[in-house]
Amino acid sequence: MSNILIINGHQYYPFSEGKLNATLVDTASTLFQSKGHQTRVVTMEDEIDIDQQLAHHQWADFVLFQSPINWMGVSWSFKKYMDEVYTAGMAGALCHGDGRSAQNPTENYGKGGALLGKKYMISVTFNAPKQAFDDKNEFFDGKSVDDLLFPMHMNFKFFNMTALPTFACFDVMKNADVESDLARFSAHIDQYF
C-alpha cells in the first residue's frame, strides 16, 4: 500500500477556526487507513522541523494538500511552510536546483524535480460560491479553480510530481453544506484510491 502525507494548511482566525479543513483531513486520513495506506498528518500549528518535513515528502507516495483559500491563495502559514521547507528541498531532497546548468542556462527550467512517480492532490475550501467560477460574467472572469491554483500546481510540477484532480468546497461561510461536501470528498478520494 501507499505512504500518504496530508498537509493541513489552515491558519486559525476567530472567524475561521478550521473545523471544516480539520474534518476533511480526518476524513481523508480515516479513508486512507481503512484502505491499508499509512498516513502522516502535518498542520501549520505543528512545530515545523525542516529536515523532518523533507523526509515526509520523500517517504510519501502521495501528498494531499488541504487548505482554505484566503485572499486568492493559501494561508500565510502554509506559504511560510512552503518557502522554508521547499527552498531547503532544492538541495536535492525535492529537486536539484531549478533544473538548469551553467553550460545551458536558458533551458530546462523547472526540470530538476526529484519526486518523479509521486502524486499530489489539492483540496481547498472557499468562501466563494461555485457559481463564481467558470463563468465569464462572474467574479473570476470565467477562470476555473485550477486557474486560481496555477501557482500551487507549478510548485509541485517543479518537484516532478503528478497531479490528481482538485477537490473544492464552496461557499463554506455563508451557505455551507458540510454533509454534502464530506460525501463528495469521500467519493473523490475513493475514485483514486
Side-chain angles (χ1 to χ4, degrees), residues 67-93:
S67 183
I69 297 300
N70 298 339
W71 296 108
M72 312 310 154
V74 297
S75 66
W76 70 267
S77 55
F78 192 13
K79 180 68 170 78
K80 180 177 185 269
Y81 174 95
M82 290 189 294
D83 285 347
E84 293 178 351
V85 174
Y86 294 171
T87 299
M90 290 185 72

Side-chain angles (χ1 to χ4, degrees), residues 66-130:
Q66 177 64 54
S67 183
I69 297 300
N70 298 339
W71 296 108
M72 312 310 154
V74 297
S75 66
W76 70 267
S77 55
F78 192 13
K79 180 68 170 78
K80 180 177 185 269
Y81 174 95
M82 290 189 294
D83 285 347
E84 293 178 351
V85 174
Y86 294 171
T87 299
M90 290 185 72
L94 304 180
C95 61
H96 304 283
D98 66 13
R100 297 179 294 168
S101 68
Q103 295 76 27
N104 199 358
T106 61
E107 294 184 14
N108 296 318
Y109 178 81
K111 297 198 175 174
L115 301 184
L116 178 65
K118 295 178 186 282
K119 297 179 181 177
Y120 75 94
M121 179 187 294
I122 300 174
S123 174
V124 291
T125 58
F126 285 101
N127 177 48
K130 184 175 183 179

Side-chain angles (χ1 to χ4, degrees), residues 29 33 54-57 86:
S29 184
Q33 290 174 15
L54 293 172
H56 286 331
H57 281 75
Y86 294 171

Side-chain angles (χ1 to χ4, degrees), residues 31-42:
L31 278 170
F32 290 139
Q33 290 174 15
S34 75
K35 295 173 182 283
H37 303 291
Q38 293 186 337
T39 62
R40 295 179 183 172
V41 176
V42 174

Side-chain angles (χ1 to χ4, degrees), residues 6-90:
I6 304 172
I7 300 177
N8 183 346
H10 183 267
Q11 168 66 41
Y12 175 85
Y13 292 101
F15 62 87
S16 176
E17 298 177 7
K19 292 178 185 175
L20 178 57
N21 282 278
T23 300
L24 290 163
V25 166
D26 290 344
T27 298
S29 184
T30 299
L31 278 170
F32 290 139
Q33 290 174 15
S34 75
K35 295 173 182 283
H37 303 291
Q38 293 186 337
T39 62
R40 295 179 183 172
V41 176
V42 174
T43 73
M44 296 306 99
E45 295 175 355
D46 295 340
E47 185 172 330
I48 302 300
D49 176 282
I50 291 173
D51 290 335
Q52 181 183 47
Q53 296 306 311
L54 293 172
H56 286 331
H57 281 75
Q58 291 173 320
W59 166 85
D61 301 303
F62 172 77
V63 182
L64 173 64
F65 299 95
Q66 177 64 54
S67 183
I69 297 300
N70 298 339
W71 296 108
M72 312 310 154
V74 297
S75 66
W76 70 267
S77 55
F78 192 13
K79 180 68 170 78
K80 180 177 185 269
Y81 174 95
M82 290 189 294
D83 285 347
E84 293 178 351
V85 174
Y86 294 171
T87 299
M90 290 185 72

